[in-house]
Amino acid sequence: HLQNLGTGPDGQIVKVTRAGDEEVYFRADEPLITSVMLLPTGELLAASAPGGKIYKVRPDGKGSVWCETEERYVWALVATEDGSILAATGDRGRLLKIDRNGNPRVLFDGDEAHIVSLAVAKDGGVWAGGAGRGLVYRIDAEGHALVVYDDELPEAKAILPVPGGDIIVAFDAPPVSEKRPPALRLRVAPGTAGATEAVSDLDLRQTPALQGVILGLPATAVEETLPLRGK
């Protein structure tokens, strides 16, 4: 009844009990732990970034590098029936197959910069979700892939198989930036040291200006051309 949480920016795995007690279980040399997977032996695999190293951590919290993926990120890990480990990576969008000794090979090279989610399929293949184009792949044990879904949102963050062979996919998107126009733009008035005046959008074609939002000032104020004097 323990949860192992990969954290940053100190590269820690934190063990959390059902009662909410926590302790640092392992610390990597890298600043981020991007994925954690529990093995049947009780050991943990923990991926770190940047650099894409995968550590194997014993139950006593002692660990060492198990696999050098040569990728920048490892976003997800799953185990296959033959004892291999599949690793979803970025920023080259590759799915790696890693043998029992920690030797990786490229099983699939996708059309996106990142593969961020994995779920094991019943026939030995995997479902894989990408980030950048929002593609969901069905990849077999030989690395042959089929795009089964293409979403408008850019990131297939998590995949959950459900009875009947279907999957549930959670998509994520970056927050929409505020497109509020600037409330005021200021320029130095010609020939007057230290003086400023408000300018309109038309004036900006000829004169460099500072611009920004002043809280409480409506955006329409940018169109005013009354002089502002000050030092």
Side-chain angles (χ1 to χ4, degrees):
H1 302 298
L2 296 173
Q3 293 289 334
N4 296 293
L5 307 179
T7 68
D10 297 320
Q12 296 178 349
I13 298 176
V14 178
K15 183 183 293 185
V16 182
T17 68
R18 176 176 288 185
D21 299 324
E22 61 183 61
E23 64 172 313
V24 175
Y25 179 60
F26 176 75
R27 187 192 300 269
D29 293 332
E30 294 73 36
L32 298 175
I33 299 294
T34 53
S35 182
V36 176
M37 188 183 75
L38 180 64
L39 297 173
T41 59
E43 297 170 304
L44 281 179
L45 292 182
S48 65
K53 294 179 181 178
I54 301 176
Y55 292 82
K56 181 175 282 188
V57 185
R58 302 195 305 263
D60 62 2
K62 304 296 183 181
S64 59
V65 175
W66 174 70
C67 175
E68 295 268 10
T69 68
E70 298 184 359
E71 304 293 335
R72 187 166 178 82
Y73 303 101
V74 175
W75 296 118
L77 297 166
V78 295
T80 64
E81 293 181 354
D82 64 2
S84 299
I85 301 298
L86 298 181
T89 72
D91 47 8
R92 292 188 287 185
R94 292 173 169 177
L95 179 64
L96 304 183
K97 186 170 185 177
I98 307 170
D99 67 20
R100 296 173 183 269
N101 297 317
N103 301 310
R105 68 178 178 88
V106 177
L107 182 65
F108 169 71
D109 194 340
D111 295 328
E112 303 192 71
H114 299 269
I115 296 178
V116 294
S117 56
L118 293 174
V120 177
K122 291 183 178 180
D123 62 357
V126 291
W127 305 97
R133 296 175 55 190
L135 301 180
V136 178
Y137 301 91
R138 179 69 175 79
I139 306 172
D140 67 19
E142 285 71 43
H144 304 129
L146 176 67
V147 174
V148 296
Y149 188 72
D150 184 353
D151 200 82
E152 294 181 356
L153 295 178
E155 183 172 350
K157 191 71 172 181
I159 302 175
L160 175 66
V162 295
D166 293 335
I167 57 173
I168 296 173
V169 184
F171 286 89
D172 195 8
V176 178
S177 60
E178 184 182 2
K179 295 184 179 180
R180 178 183 175 187
L184 190 65
R185 298 187 180 101
L186 299 176
R187 71 177 180 189
V188 177
T192 308
T196 61
E197 62 180 1
V199 298
S200 68
D201 288 339
L202 294 177
D203 294 328
L204 292 175
R205 297 175 184 175
Q206 290 83 27
T207 307
L210 299 175
Q211 66 182 41
V213 172
I214 298 178
L215 295 179
L217 187 65
T220 53
V222 75
E223 298 177 358
E224 298 177 359
T225 56
L226 295 177
L228 290 176
R229 300 298 179 185
K231 296 182 179 180

